[in-house]
Amino acid sequence: MLRKELEIATFEDLLYHYPYRYFDRTQVTKIASINPQSEYVQLIGTLINIFEEGVGRKKRLTATLYDDTEKIELVWFQGAEWMKKSLKENERYIVFGRVAVFNGVMNLPHPEIELLSATSVAGMQPVYPTTEKLKAKGLSNRSFAKITQALFEKVRPGDLPEILPSTIINQYRLCSRAQALTWIHFPDSDEHMQAARYRLKWEELFASQLKIAQIRLQHTIQPGWKFEKVGDNFNRFYSNHLPFQLTNAQKRVLKEIRHDTATGKQMNRLLQGDVGSGKTIVAVMAMLLSLDNGFQACLMAPTEILAQQHYQSIHSLLEQMEIPCAILTGSTKGKERKDTLQRLADGSLPIVIGTHALIEESVKFQNLGLAVIDEQHRFGVGQRARLWQKNEKAPHVLVMTATPIPRTLAMTLYGDLDVSTIDELPPGRQEIKTVWRNEMRRANVMDSIRSEIDKGRQAYIVYPLIEESEKMDYESLMAGYEQVKVFFPEDKYRIAMVHGRQDAALREQNMQRFVSGHAQILVATTVIEVGVNVPNASVMLIESAERFGLSQLHQLRGRVGRGAEQSYCILLTGNALSAESKQRMHIITSTTNGFTIAEQDLAMRGPGDLYGTRQSGVLKFKLADIVKDSGILEQTRQAAQQVIAEDPTLTSPQYQPLRNILFREAHQSNWSKIS
Ligand code: ADP
Ligand code: MG
């Protein structure tokens, strides 16, 4: 049960099951001084009037706490039965909770509560994370404290040996491991508790940075194809077929790629550039470089639509040069598929664009020299690993992302990749005007869209579609579509619709109607989020914008402003917005800089939800927070680089304990192969 609920299986796990806060008798608020803005408060008082009301699922338990100034109600909606048994009237308790206001009266819903006599007068009493299930079995906070206490009574001085070398301990002024582990459970002062947390965060981040430094080192010794020359394909394209002048940023990135691929080592490069910054052409030219050196190249996109669009634009660029290229997706079937596979295997097909279908077992390349991966965070770690396995030698890898990655996150997630940044938009772009409107003004908004369309422009209207409420969202998309048709009657306007429930062929057909300029309005879900390129589209209307994350809004907005015309992004929201949603709307209307937005997104949401990183486990730290602890992160990164440079395999005795810890965590072991 403990294992299932909290992943605690050994004594050591228990040691690392840290308290998340402490009861501290010296930090107490008087009840009379609480106000609705107080947020979290800690109170000491006497408990009276414990009683249960309601039946079944409506059952709740209330109790009153009073001190020498005032009284306040405590209330539990869950586990009422169990709480009732464990609480005693007329006893003194220490209580911690968040102030809520119900019917104009303040109360504390689901507070943590502890008998005052069970807490120590001087020190701070640890409060451990537990779950409702464990509580029901009697494993409350207090039981955890008792077990941990018993464990510590058995601990002898040598049982918690230091694992960091003393040079590091001294240089970064860390407390010892034994001190840290003792103090985090049973701190005798706030200062010691802080010192303990600091040290343990340091250790966590250091371990991750060591791994990254090691992988990076492996990359630098990983043999790769050597692209000896810039040849005919690249040069002909550059002089005769380039549809515009490259920006300086694009040129710089191409130089970086050229340099990497000529070293004889595998390239692992992350290309980040805001939406519309022109990453595609860089990818194409890198692929030509691969061809010039006698290798094949592929480009992998996260969705069918994107793969199609890449294929079309790349195909038309390469057609003039008579370079064959094909598309391979889940819907490539029959003879066409067989043919493509055959030509990839015998080497007569130099370039292929596709989706996940490219990493299927049946796909064999004759000699893949470069793999470009677009919008990489949609691809799982394992999928990239499979792409790698397609060769005797690793192909060069160029990962492209339009979601700029905040520095701290990049250090943690992609510390092993070299990063190129396109920080300049092609010339002549106008800043997209972004406005936030209430739904009540829908008619106005539709009028302004109509005037754009009447000028010959096109518009996107996007609805949220997220998995949890898929059915409801689907219905509101359909209702929205009907409504759009009221504002834009079908005898005068042409509307296309795409969403995830259509089969690929129909979706593609509808998308194509919009891309070709035939349809003036595209009603869509977020399937169009990444990459789609229709320069004539000048309006992006986002319905229920409050339901989108910042980065997603930014991505959607990036679908317009791709031509020379002034473009608009309109965010429609309802009335009842949370403070956080409002903040998101303010941020997105006040800047179009993807980096700023990514930083704010990370700060608001924390790293856990971002970029599909949750499953990967890379950002799973117990204490550390890469945003708040960016200072520590920077220190550990430097320290890790130094250590790995000195002793790449950590074999010297002073690093032995660290080495043991790193190798115990096997779940990241095949990282070196992912990109
Ligand atoms: P993203 O980086 O979002 O993938 P794209 O590669 O789709 O951006 O490029 C966005 C648009 O800008 C395309 O229409 C492309 O043809 C155009 N573009 C790219 N580079 C330049 C440039 N140097 N000058 C003018 N237009 C460019
Ligand atoms: Mg793109």
Side-chain angles (χ1 to χ4, degrees), residues 244-264:
F244 36 67
Q245 249 203 310
L246 294 178
T247 62
N248 287 330
Q250 285 168 324
K251 285 186 195 157
R252 190 184 62 234
V253 171
L254 276 168
K255 270 198 198 119
E256 286 164 345
I257 292 170
R258 168 81 192 107
H259 172 265
D260 284 2
T261 51
T263 58

Side-chain angles (χ1 to χ4, degrees), residues 298-316:
C298 73
L299 186 150
M300 190 157 75
T303 64
E304 173 105 21
I305 289 181
L306 270 179
Q308 289 284 356
Q309 195 163 40
H310 273 312
Y311 172 69
Q312 269 143 22
S313 56
I314 293 172
H315 180 72
S316 66

Side-chain angles (χ1 to χ4, degrees), residues 244-247 250 274-280 426 429 533 562:
F244 36 67
Q245 249 203 310
L246 294 178
T247 62
Q250 285 168 324
D274 214 339
V275 279
S277 61
K279 295 182 290 295
T280 315
R429 296 276 171 83
N533 188 25
R562 307 195 136 227

